[in-house]
């Protein structure tokens, strides 16, 4: 919650900026880590959600590994204190230079997404005189029932190795001397709130585990990916960590002895971050009243890109509630944070918070319209 006292302090800073409530971050991490450890699970933090070094360094204190999707993320995660031996590298298009960098850093595992990628990792590892640890990212063809744009584990998606190709990939793997097979990896999508979907993933994992074990490819590690959703309507509510991990505890085959790890991004960092902005103008339209903020899609692109909705709060006003369309200053019609939003009567200069923006917010900012990249402000440095 952003109290009156915090608002006063936020008001002293030039907008727009990201505000991170580090106490909320720590509480979220502590709940997530406790619920995972209680069930014998490991968590890797999905760095793509927020790579701000202050946030990353705090996360390292909770025993999480790192899930990366670029050579730079691998390097950054290790520099922030994540152990290289707990860092994994996924992604459909790893470049040779990125593979080499990760090999030299001795990461835990490459999550390989195609047979061709296995050949390339093998060749580079051979040249460096190393044995590359690899897991196969399998596309389980499980529908995630989330926003179409952030679904990753169905047949139409570019991610992972399709199940019908697995036999050929295993044959290939056997011939590659510079690889060490560690296990399997899945990720079906993001912002998943229907936990039933994970039950379907468990069923698919159980089938694949049996099939691989029968062929002598029993996995040492099973990485089930991330995707746990949050409540964008209620930014102060904790994600359902216990219920989420329980689905896997209950529905993964009890004969599986592999290490089970998760790759959580949004559920760990979204709630602690808000985009703080000022109202530049309140402008009457033909049928609606526009609130024009000094932050736009360049600072938070999710609404423009996915029609995602974030809770918008006017921190300055306690006037009668009215309906507004909240937009940014960018020269695009999609630069809209929300239509018909109920806010207390809003005026030029009011401070506005766009909540649950700690994941996929600051990291997706752009310089379109030659805007400056947003600054970050942390609760512990507020005066
Ligand atoms: N593992 C892999 C392989 C992933 O691709 C992702 C997210 C995660 C883990 C973490 O998922 P999470 O727990 O955060 O749901 N920009 C979009 C989200 C894209 C997610 C991409 N992959 C958004 O703003 O909603």
């Amino acid at each position: 919650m952003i109290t009156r006292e915090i608002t006063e302090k936020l008001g002293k800073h030039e907008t727009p900026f990201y505000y991170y409530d580090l106490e909320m971050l720590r509480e979220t991490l502590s709940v997530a880590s406790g619920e995972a450890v209680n069930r014998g699970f490991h968590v890797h933090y999905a760095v793509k959600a927020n790579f701000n070094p202050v946030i990353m360094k705090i996360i390292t204190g909770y025993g999480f590994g790192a899930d990366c999707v670029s050579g730079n993320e691998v390097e950054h995660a290790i520099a922030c204190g994540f152990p290289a031996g707990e860092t994994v590298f996924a992604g459909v298009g790893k470049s040779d230079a990125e593979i080499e960098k990760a090999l030299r850093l001795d990461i835990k595992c490459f999550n390989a997404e195609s047979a061709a990628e296995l050949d390339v990792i093998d060749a580079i590892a051979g040249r460096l005189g190393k044995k590359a640890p690899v897991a196969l990212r399998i596309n389980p063809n499980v529908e995630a029932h989330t926003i179409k744009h952030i679904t990753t584990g169905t047949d139409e998606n570019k991610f992972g190795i399709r199940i019908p190709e697995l036999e050929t990939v295993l044959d290939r793997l056997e011939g590659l001397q510079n690889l060490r097979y560690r296990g399997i990896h899945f990720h079906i999508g993001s912002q998943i709130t229907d936990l039933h979907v994970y039950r379907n993933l468990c069923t698919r994992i159980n089938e694949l585990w049996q099939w691989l074990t029968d062929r002598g490819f029993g996995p040492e590690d099973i990485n089930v990916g991330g995707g746990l959703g949050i409540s964008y309507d209620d930014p102060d509510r904790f994600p359902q960590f216990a219920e989420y991990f329980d689905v896997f505890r209950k529905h993964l085959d009890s004969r599986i002895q592999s290490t089970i790890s998760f790759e959580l991004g949004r559920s760990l960092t979204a709630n602690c971050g808000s985009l703080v902005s000022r109202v530049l103008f309140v402008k009457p339209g033909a049928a609606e009243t526009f609130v024009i903020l000094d932050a736009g899609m360049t600072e938070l692109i999710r609404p423009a890109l996915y029609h995602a909705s974030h809770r918008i709060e006017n921190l300055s006003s306690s006037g009668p509630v009215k309906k507004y369309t909240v937009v940014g200053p960018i020269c695009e019609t999609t630069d809209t944070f929300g239509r018909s939003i109920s806010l207390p009567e809003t005026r030029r200069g009011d401070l506005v918070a766009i909540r649950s923006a700690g994941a996929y917010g600051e990291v997706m900012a752009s310089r379109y319209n030659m805007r400056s990249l947003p600054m970050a402000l942390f609760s512990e440095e507020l005066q």
Side-chain angles (χ1 to χ4, degrees):
M1 205 174 89
I2 303 183
T3 59
R4 195 173 289 242
E5 197 191 339
I6 297 171
T7 303
E8 216 164 276
K9 293 175 179 171
L10 294 176
K12 294 182 193 156
H13 296 266
E14 197 180 319
T15 51
F17 58 85
Y18 274 89
Y19 167 65
Y20 294 107
D21 177 343
L22 298 183
E23 198 182 321
M24 185 180 242
L25 173 65
R26 290 195 174 94
E27 271 176 45
T28 310
L29 295 170
S30 154
V31 173
S33 129
E35 300 292 0
V37 169
N38 282 344
R39 292 166 180 82
F41 294 149
H42 293 258
V43 176
H44 293 157
Y45 169 56
V47 173
K48 62 178 81 65
N50 192 318
F51 53 71
N52 187 302
V54 174
I55 306 269
M56 298 269 290
K57 283 179 188 154
I58 292 177
I59 297 177
T60 60
Y62 290 79
F64 297 149
D67 156 50
C68 303
V69 281
S70 70
N72 287 347
E73 279 193 4
V74 169
E75 206 167 31
H76 180 62
I78 295 170
C80 286
F82 286 93
E86 286 300 326
T87 297
V88 300
F89 184 11
V92 281
K94 303 176 187 76
S95 72
D96 293 19
E98 289 178 309
I99 293 169
E100 178 163 343
K101 185 186 274 185
L103 273 170
R104 288 189 189 280
L105 287 166
D106 289 324
I107 62 163
K108 176 181 179 183
C109 190
F110 290 86
N111 294 330
E113 307 219 9
S114 64
E117 184 187 329
L118 289 173
D119 289 340
V120 172
I121 299 176
D122 179 75
I124 298 175
R127 175 159 57 72
L128 299 180
K130 294 202 173 247
K131 231 173 169 56
V134 293
L136 304 178
R137 175 168 179 179
I138 301 174
N139 181 332
N141 198 22
V142 168
E143 180 50 64
H145 297 298
T146 179
I147 309 171
K148 185 172 178 291
H149 310 295
I150 53 177
T151 294
T152 49
T154 71
D155 265 352
E156 304 149 37
N157 300 126
K158 67 179 173 182
F159 301 99
I161 297 162
R162 290 188 317 112
I163 293 171
E165 291 165 29
L166 263 181
E167 188 100 55
T168 324
V169 171
L170 294 185
D171 288 345
R172 186 88 142 260
L173 195 57
E174 268 178 330
L176 299 172
Q177 298 307 311
N178 306 309
L179 302 183
R180 182 170 95 71
Y181 168 74
R182 285 201 61 133
I184 49 179
H185 171 228
F186 305 86
H187 175 72
I188 56 173
S190 196
Q191 183 50 17
I192 296 172
T193 49
D194 172 4
L195 296 183
H196 207 87
V197 159
Y198 288 114
R199 227 169 124 163
N200 300 339
L201 175 62
C202 288
T203 306
R204 195 52 55 81
I205 294 175
N206 292 340
E207 291 161 6
L208 284 161
W209 171 79
Q210 187 66 66
W211 187 86
L212 287 162
T213 306
D214 291 346
R215 278 162 185 73
F217 282 89
E220 187 184 325
D221 297 325
I222 301 180
N223 177 338
V224 302
L228 173 62
I230 60 152
S231 167
Y232 279 95
D233 296 331
D234 186 357
D236 295 311
R237 192 157 97 205
F238 277 113
Q240 297 178 278
F241 293 113
E243 292 82 350
Y244 168 66
F245 290 130
D246 267 343
V247 173
F248 290 87
R249 197 61 297 158
K250 282 198 192 116
H251 297 287
L252 283 178
D253 192 317
S254 57
R255 291 171 301 161
I256 297 179
Q257 296 294 312
S258 328
T259 305
I260 308 292
S261 51
F262 292 77
E263 295 173 334
L264 298 178
R266 185 188 320 264
S267 52
L268 298 181
T269 61
N271 287 18
C272 76
S274 298
L275 174 60
V276 179
S277 172
R278 265 192 203 283
V279 176
L280 290 175
F281 298 104
V282 178
K283 177 176 171 176
E288 57 203 324
T289 303
F290 294 105
V291 164
I292 304 173
L293 300 180
D294 65 3
M297 62 192 286
T298 41
E299 285 71 39
L300 180 67
I301 200 174
R302 303 192 66 256
L305 198 57
Y306 316 119
H307 295 296
S309 98
H310 286 250
R311 195 177 147 87
I312 302 172
E313 295 172 357
N314 183 328
L315 303 176
S316 311
S317 165
S318 52
V321 172
K322 299 194 168 172
K323 297 267 187 204
Y324 297 100
T325 289
V326 181
V327 300
I330 307 303
C331 295
E332 299 277 347
T333 303
T334 54
D335 184 28
T336 300
F337 289 117
R339 294 193 174 276
S340 202
I341 304 290
S342 298
L343 291 175
E345 189 165 34
T346 298
R347 297 204 165 84
R348 172 172 167 82
D350 285 354
L351 212 55
V352 165
I354 304 181
R355 304 287 309 276
S356 316
Y360 307 112
E362 192 186 348
V363 286
M364 292 178 78
S366 84
R367 293 220 47 215
Y368 183 43
N369 285 192
M370 258 191 110
R371 308 257 304 165
S372 303
L373 287 175
M375 302 292 285
L377 197 68
F378 302 93
S379 49
E380 286 165 15
E381 64 188 23
L382 271 189
Q383 314 209 343

